[in-house]
Amino acid sequence: MKFVVALYPGGAAAAKNPEILGSAEHALGLRPFLEGAGHELVVIPDKEASLDREIVDADVVITTPFWPAYVTKERIARAKKLKLILTAGVGSDHIDLAAAAARGITVAEITGSNVVSVAEHTIMQILTLVRDYLPAYRQVLEGRWDIAEAASRSHDLEGKVVGIVGAGRIGQRVALRLRPFGVKVLYYDFRRLSTVEEEVLGIQYALLDALVPQCDVITIHCPLTPETDGLFDRARLFRMKKGAHLVNTARGKIVVTDALVEALEKDHLAGYAGDVWYPQPAPPDHPWRKMPRHAMTIHVSGTTLEAQKRYSEGIRDCLERFLGGRGIERDYLVVDGGKVVSPSYSYAFGK
Ligand code: NAI
């Protein structure tokens, strides 16, 4: 069988560090396993440039959200032998799920593999914004010591209202990590949690329109679907409290690019952070690189070395099951048997 793996080029860092399993060079550690069993492994580090050619006779395609090779309807139509598409990580929005379902192709992701990594990154970015860490750090590099300037936008997190949009695996872990900070946490999810879960997490349910104007910080943790694409548009961004902060480690397209720049330039929002962009990699002139008061990183929150190990092991497990004729772990399945089966993606699909 032919396995096509689209991963980022690891360069000098990957050459030195075999733990960077998610790079093209280390190919999720799959090379000995697949080639040893007589399969063909094609690794494409040039993102999508080679995908059109390689997908035509591929049985399995493996991609990653950090360096997404877009598996579009057109590409799926040309991939006559394709049976399985795997996401090394969480979030399969770079795959046309409707087209995969229509063709009976299975799609799976490594559910839970990097949820702690993203939750930790989120807490770091909330604090970075609320304490206004980066300008104070820049003063150190610039040889300056202007306390008034550094303190002028720096707040305690304690006593603030934080809103979580999407209370799944990551959103719930963010809630748990916020508990010691003494904040009030509201959440919105299209599926409300049980009373017991709300009690344990210390969070209160609110519909999105009620949550948005109350929060000093909002953090987004729902998947990118047709329903959440552009969810934070101009109207919603300007309905946020003046001086609030927005963090988005979910997907770049959930926030409307130009509307966010305007909300920051007009000083309506105090700051924005996250690690997800559209498209990825973000071009050098992407407006979010230069907008005021942001604390963005490149898409890296879910790919710590520990996370890379976990999602590589998950991919290996999927392939062993697939090759052995056994079903893929139920919790990993996004599309199966011609249907979207993951409850996280259960939007009005294909209507
Ligand atoms: P999850 O499936 O456990 O949780 C997602 C939650 O969002 C679910 O509770 C679901 O009910 C809710 N949801 C779905 N559609 C919604 C809608 N229209 N409105 C409100 N809530 C909605 O997924 P998990 O593991 O928490 O990941 C969430 C997202 O985070 C992923 O889909 C992915 O896009 C992103 N992610 C980003 C990473 C990074 O490195 N930055 C790494 C891992 C995930």
Side-chain angles (χ1 to χ4, degrees):
M1 284 202 207
K2 177 172 170 179
F3 295 74
V4 174
V5 181
L7 294 168
Y8 54 85
K16 273 193 258 161
N17 189 349
E19 287 181 275
I20 306 181
L21 287 166
S23 63
E25 288 79 352
H26 301 305
L28 305 163
L30 294 174
R31 196 172 286 286
F33 164 60
L34 288 175
E35 291 183 345
H39 298 292
E40 183 188 359
L41 174 66
V42 177
V43 182
I44 46 174
D46 57 1
K47 206 161 177 288
E48 292 159 271
S50 313
L51 191 58
D52 282 325
R53 185 182 68 243
E54 299 297 347
I55 204 167
V56 174
D57 57 348
D59 294 280
V60 178
V61 170
I62 303 171
T63 66
T64 169
F66 310 103
W67 180 259
Y70 294 94
V71 188
T72 58
K73 191 177 178 174
E74 294 70 30
R75 287 182 170 140
I76 288 175
R78 295 174 60 240
K80 302 285 184 229
K81 292 173 68 185
L82 192 58
K83 298 166 204 49
L84 177 66
I85 308 172
L86 296 175
T87 300
V90 174
S92 296
D93 48 276
H94 54 286
I95 300 162
D96 189 321
L97 302 180
R103 272 277 312 282
I105 296 168
T106 299
V107 179
E109 60 188 33
I110 313 306
T111 306
S113 57
N114 49 16
V115 293
V116 165
S117 324
V118 179
E120 289 183 358
H121 194 96
T122 301
I123 298 295
M124 174 184 80
Q125 290 195 315
I126 290 174
L127 287 169
T128 300
L129 290 180
V130 173
R131 304 302 302 244
D132 208 24
Y133 166 69
L134 288 175
Y137 174 71
R138 269 195 297 273
Q139 283 203 30
V140 174
L141 300 181
E142 291 163 2
R144 301 170 60 223
W145 194 279
D146 184 339
I147 293 171
E149 186 192 288
S152 65
R153 284 177 173 269
S154 179
H155 297 272
D156 291 339
L157 182 57
E158 187 176 71
K160 300 297 186 294
V161 181
V162 180
I164 295 176
V165 176
R169 294 171 183 83
I170 297 172
Q172 292 182 30
R173 281 167 175 80
V174 168
L176 281 176
R177 283 159 179 75
L178 283 171
R179 287 205 80 157
F181 286 97
V183 288
K184 175 177 173 182
V185 181
L186 304 176
Y187 82 98
Y188 168 68
D189 194 295
F190 67 3
R191 286 170 307 166
R192 186 172 177 170
L193 299 175
S194 70
T195 317
V196 174
E197 288 168 319
E198 290 178 358
E199 184 71 28
V200 170
L201 295 167
I203 61 181
Q204 296 169 34
Y205 188 72
L207 290 174
L208 187 59
D209 285 340
L211 175 147
V212 164
Q214 294 185 60
C215 294
D216 300 290
V217 178
I218 293 179
T219 180
I220 304 174
H221 300 292
C222 55
L224 173 63
T225 67
E227 286 174 4
T228 63
D229 195 338
L231 187 66
F232 280 78
D233 58 7
R234 188 179 187 283
R236 188 159 275 127
L237 289 170
F238 278 89
R239 273 204 300 273
M240 285 178 67
K241 205 169 170 179
K242 184 165 165 50
H245 296 94
L246 182 59
V247 175
N248 175 16
T249 51
R251 282 298 178 263
K253 275 187 102 206
I254 297 173
V255 177
V256 174
T257 304
D258 294 339
L260 174 66
V261 176
E262 184 189 344
L264 288 163
E265 283 178 347
K266 291 193 169 152
D267 215 5
H268 183 73
L269 293 187
Y272 182 86
D275 69 326
V276 283
W277 307 69
Y278 186 78
Q280 287 191 179
D285 62 350
H286 192 294
W288 288 4
R289 287 185 186 265
K290 293 281 164 60
M291 65 190 176
R293 300 182 308 285
H294 80 78
M296 296 284 295
T297 62
I298 62 166
H299 191 169
V300 74
S301 70
T303 196
T304 57
L305 296 176
E306 289 81 2
Q308 294 188 52
K309 183 167 184 294
R310 288 189 294 263
Y311 63 66
S312 299
E313 286 168 358
I315 293 287
R316 168 83 179 244
D317 177 68
C318 291
L319 293 180
E320 281 174 355
R321 286 164 179 258
F322 169 74
L323 291 168
R326 290 176 288 131
I328 284 173
E329 182 69 53
R330 178 71 188 80
D331 218 23
Y332 289 179
L333 289 172
V334 176
V335 173
D336 193 40
K339 286 200 299 278
V340 174
V341 292
S342 162
S344 306
Y345 293 86
S346 60
Y347 46 90
F349 198 71
K351 284 190 180 164

